[in-house]
Amino acid sequence: MPAAGIDQPVLPLSPTAENLAEQSIVPPLTTDAYWLSTYGHPGDGSQTTTYITGHSWEGLDAPFDRLSTQVTPGDTVVLGTETGQISYVVETVTTYDKNSLKDSEIWAIVPNRLVLISCFVQDPWGKNVVVTAIPAA
């Protein structure tokens, strides 16, 4: 995400059955970003939503610290895949209470959509920030 200065490798993560049932996914390490591989794959003609998650910490360097403060609708997200790069345009940046995220519309499958999820840096224990993006025209 050039506008936010985020250039982060993304590792695959397969949530457990318990994580999927609870729709509660906690990335294992604070220094990496994770693609939730069981939810969807990015690319031309994708019929799924691609989810990427990473930590944010106030006062510490974490992959998605700047999602809360430096990403705005219209920004570009470039996702590197095995077949090349895909450019997305940010549609929304929304803050959710952590207890309401699992019931939010972000889990609806929207073909070719990208969803980035992290803790909201100003309240990492109580809120999440969610960025939704669609392929650039």
Side-chain angles (χ1 to χ4, degrees):
M1 289 175 270
I6 299 172
D7 185 5
Q8 181 68 42
V10 179
L11 305 173
L13 175 65
S14 296
T16 65
E18 183 179 334
N19 293 150
L20 294 172
E22 294 175 359
Q23 289 180 310
S24 174
I25 296 144
V26 178
L29 299 173
T30 59
T31 57
D32 296 313
Y34 294 91
W35 159 52
L36 304 181
S37 59
T38 54
Y39 280 84
H41 296 272
D44 289 336
S46 173
Q47 294 302 306
T48 59
T49 296
T50 301
Y51 295 90
I52 297 176
T53 187
H55 286 288
S56 294
W57 293 104
E58 187 175 19
L60 297 173
D61 191 28
F64 288 156
D65 282 348
R66 291 176 296 282
L67 282 186
S68 299
T69 59
Q70 296 182 18
V71 176
T72 59
D75 285 350
T76 300
V77 178
V78 179
L79 183 62
T81 70
E82 292 176 351
T83 60
Q85 292 188 335
I86 304 168
S87 291
Y88 293 87
V89 176
V90 173
E91 283 194 309
T92 64
V93 179
T94 308
T95 303
Y96 292 90
D97 288 332
K98 285 189 183 260
N99 62 1
S100 68
L101 185 66
K102 67 180 181 160
D103 298 320
S104 74
E105 69 278 357
I106 69 160
W107 301 108
I109 300 303
V110 177
N112 284 317
R113 181 174 66 160
L114 175 65
V115 175
L116 307 171
I117 305 168
S118 190
C119 294
F120 183 64
V121 81
Q122 288 86 358
D123 183 6
W125 301 107
K127 298 184 184 288
N128 287 107
V129 62
V130 176
V131 174
T132 61
I134 58 170

